[in-house]
Amino acid sequence: AQSVSQHNHHVILSEAASLELGCNYSYGGTVNLFWYVQYPGQHLQLLLKYFSGDPLVKGIKGFEAEFIKSKFSFNLRKPSVQWSDTAEYFCAVNAWGSQGNLIFGKGTKLSVKP
Amino acid sequence: GAGVSQSPSNKVTEKGKDVELRCDPISGHTALYWYRQSLGQGLEFLIYFQGNSAPDKSGLPSDRFSAERTGGSVSTLTIQRTQQEDSAVYLCASSLWDRDHNEQFFGPGTRLTVL
């Protein structure tokens, strides 16, 4: 069965610090990978996605993620965080070519101190 | 354009009552998904629809939960004889039925509280 692990439950950073949130998945086949963000009081929004091609994908608001197939990882990065990045971040996966459900990680809460 | 909408935004009910939650997907999206978000459980898949049919009902936690979709558009999730453990935020998402563009777009959710 597919599963997704996010290593950090809560990350606290100061503004301008660099961010890396870990995500590992378990699935034997080809996958689609996603990062979603949930700002306080708002609904889930797609941050970025990987379907195929260049394993380094860029998303909105300066975020990027790198798919490393050999490590089953899809870590999220941002070189310099802002207070407005305070949110909960969810990594998700589904099987390539599938229209089925997403499997989500438990989420990582990011708190950025001004 | 309009996103996924859900109603009601909040629902408080008494244990044992039935509730209906509604989802309006993005126009033209043929796939529709229901998830549940609760503290400590993260986001849990419930059911998805392709058009009006539900190929995968494996995530429904019990036979008290059911869902339908009509006209390839609006969907309702019904919970019968609600229990306190049903308290959660119920999220709906929709996507195109397209291998290369199947990212899911989420609605704001319905927060269900069972007293």
Side-chain angles (χ1 to χ4, degrees):
Chain A
Q2 298 173 29
S3 65
V4 177
S5 298
Q6 291 183 242
H7 313 302
N8 308 101
H9 178 62
H10 191 185
V11 173
I12 303 172
L13 295 172
S14 297
E15 275 193 316
S18 64
L19 170 72
E20 182 160 2
L21 301 182
C23 173
N24 285 90
Y25 67 92
S26 172
Y27 182 68
T30 304
V31 294
N32 300 320
L33 295 154
F34 307 84
W35 276 97
Y36 282 86
V37 60
Q38 190 169 30
Y39 297 103
Q42 297 188 27
H43 61 278
L44 277 167
Q45 301 171 41
L46 183 66
L47 200 54
L48 49 77
K49 63 191 180 192
Y50 173 79
F51 284 177
S52 63
D54 189 343
L56 183 63
V57 292
K58 295 191 184 299
I60 59 172
K61 303 187 180 185
F63 286 90
E64 65 179 30
E66 184 175 13
F67 170 49
I68 303 179
K69 188 174 181 180
S70 60
K71 295 185 178 180
F72 299 90
S73 70
F74 191 55
N75 292 354
L76 181 71
R77 300 194 293 247
K78 185 171 184 179
S80 176
V81 295
Q82 301 173 321
W83 177 78
S84 58
D85 294 324
T86 295
E88 190 155 16
Y89 293 81
F90 295 90
C91 181
V93 62
N94 68 10
W96 179 80
S98 160
Q99 282 74 47
N101 58 291
L102 291 166
I103 305 295
F104 283 89
K106 296 281 191 191
T108 297
K109 186 174 180 181
L110 173 64
S111 299
V112 180
K113 298 183 292 184
Chain B
V4 178
S5 60
Q6 293 185 245
S7 61
S9 55
N10 280 285
K11 177 70 177 179
V12 180
T13 190
E14 293 179 348
K15 179 181 171 181
K17 296 284 177 74
D18 298 351
V19 295
E20 271 192 4
L21 312 180
R22 176 188 168 107
C23 171
D24 281 273
I26 292 172
S27 178
H29 280 191
T30 52
L32 185 148
Y33 308 80
W34 284 98
Y35 295 86
R36 179 166 73 172
Q37 186 177 24
S38 51
L39 278 174
Q41 296 297 319
L43 279 142
E44 175 190 11
F45 166 71
L46 299 178
I47 188 170
Y48 89 97
F49 290 88
Q50 178 193 3
N52 292 335
S53 65
D56 187 354
K57 300 182 181 181
S58 63
L60 293 176
S62 78
D63 59 8
R64 296 186 294 105
F65 287 71
S66 63
E68 65 174 14
R69 188 179 186 195
T70 54
S73 181
V74 172
S75 176
T76 54
L77 177 69
T78 301
I79 309 173
Q80 296 178 308
R81 305 182 302 282
T82 53
Q83 304 293 313
Q84 288 182 332
E85 61 262 28
D86 300 334
S87 296
V89 177
Y90 289 82
L91 297 172
C92 177
S94 69
S95 74
L96 291 169
W97 194 258
D98 180 328
R99 173 181 300 187
D100 297 318
H101 297 90
N102 69 349
E103 60 263 42
Q104 296 176 25
F105 296 86
F106 284 80
T110 294
R111 181 176 297 278
L112 175 65
T113 303
V114 182
L115 301 176

